[in-house]
Amino acid sequence: MSWSAVADVVSAVCLLAGCLLTLVAAVGLLRLSDVLARMHTTAKPQVLGLVLALVGVGLQLRGATDVAMLVAIAVFQLLTVPVAAHLVGRAAYRTGQVDESVLDADELAEQLAREEQREEQQEERNRAR
Amino acid sequence: MTVVATACAITLTVAAVLALLRIARGPTMLDRVVALDVLVAVVVIALCVEAAANRHATTLPVIVVLALLGFVGSVSVARYAAKEEQE
């Protein structure tokens, strides 16, 4: 088993794993009920699925510049996907698409309520002056 | 390698069809954004599979741009997601 054969087998396995993760995400999209639940399935293929696919490509291409670019793509994804998922979740919460029955604890609602009270006190002090 | 490429192609097309189903059926805009993210991931991984199967690096810049584009798209939609009326 020469090195290139081992590399081929490992890259094939990685590529297949990346594709199966994408399939899991797509099935999760349909099966899950809530925006937040669906959102957690999209992070899987974007981060792990892509990293596996990039490893698969890297093992096939084996060029220094190509592997450098693949590492750059993986780093970009690891940086940007959590930010996008957080913003989508924030927008889902702020536009009221989170059904409270599913959540067991909702700290953000208490935080927002406390903020509103503080603002009201602030306004009363301004009016009193 | 071609057997793996065809297996990957089949799973990716099934995943893309399921994502399109969610895009069509998604009640709210944010569901569609989430499904489009999966669709972008499908296209990016399909490009990776094609680049690995044919052993060429010409499509690597495309993968970089597409990965970042998916992020910018979902962030901009999330930024302007308005309160939709629950029908």
Side-chain angles (χ1 to χ4, degrees):
Chain A
M1 277 290 272
S2 71
W3 272 114
S4 70
V6 169
D8 281 350
V9 168
V10 171
S11 82
V13 165
C14 287
L15 284 172
L16 265 178
C19 295
L20 289 176
L21 262 175
T22 316
L23 189 65
V24 162
V27 167
L29 267 182
L30 286 176
R31 291 279 304 161
L32 296 171
S33 61
D34 186 42
V35 176
L36 292 185
R38 284 181 201 129
M39 201 182 59
H40 101 277
T41 68
T42 64
K44 289 183 184 43
Q46 282 183 328
V47 177
L48 188 53
L50 193 73
V51 166
L52 286 175
L54 293 176
V55 165
V57 173
L59 288 175
Q60 287 289 342
L61 294 185
R62 301 192 198 112
T65 53
D66 305 330
V67 171
M69 186 174 274
L70 293 173
V71 166
I73 300 172
V75 166
F76 285 159
Q77 279 298 73
L78 286 176
L79 289 178
T80 53
V81 166
V83 172
H86 170 72
L87 278 173
V88 170
R90 181 180 174 282
Y93 187 86
R94 287 291 156 84
T95 55
Q97 274 145 21
V98 173
D99 52 353
E100 304 302 328
S101 58
V102 179
L103 305 176
D104 45 11
D106 191 349
E107 286 98 4
L108 189 53
E110 296 140 16
Q111 183 71 19
L112 292 177
R114 236 175 281 132
E115 290 300 320
E116 271 143 26
Q117 280 158 9
R118 199 167 298 143
E119 272 151 28
E120 276 142 24
Q121 286 151 10
Q122 195 69 21
E123 273 147 28
E124 274 143 29
R125 262 183 242 116
N126 296 350
R127 250 180 264 116
R129 243 177 248 131
Chain B
M1 197 53 196
T2 54
V3 171
V4 170
T6 44
C8 286
I10 292 165
T11 37
L12 284 177
T13 38
V14 169
V17 166
L18 294 180
L20 281 176
L21 258 177
R22 171 50 58 193
I23 290 174
R25 196 162 15 126
T28 60
M29 188 170 57
L30 287 173
D31 292 321
R32 294 194 173 94
V33 163
V34 162
L36 282 171
D37 268 347
V38 173
L39 208 56
V40 166
V42 163
V43 171
V44 165
I45 293 181
L47 279 174
C48 284
V49 166
E50 193 269 336
N54 304 337
R55 286 182 181 242
H56 63 78
T58 48
T59 52
L60 281 193
V62 177
I63 297 173
V64 172
V65 169
L66 202 53
L68 291 179
L69 205 61
F71 160 68
V72 169
S74 57
V75 163
S76 46
V77 170
R79 167 67 182 80
Y80 292 108
K83 182 177 274 299
E84 296 166 23
E85 70 289 346
Q86 307 298 351
E87 69 275 358

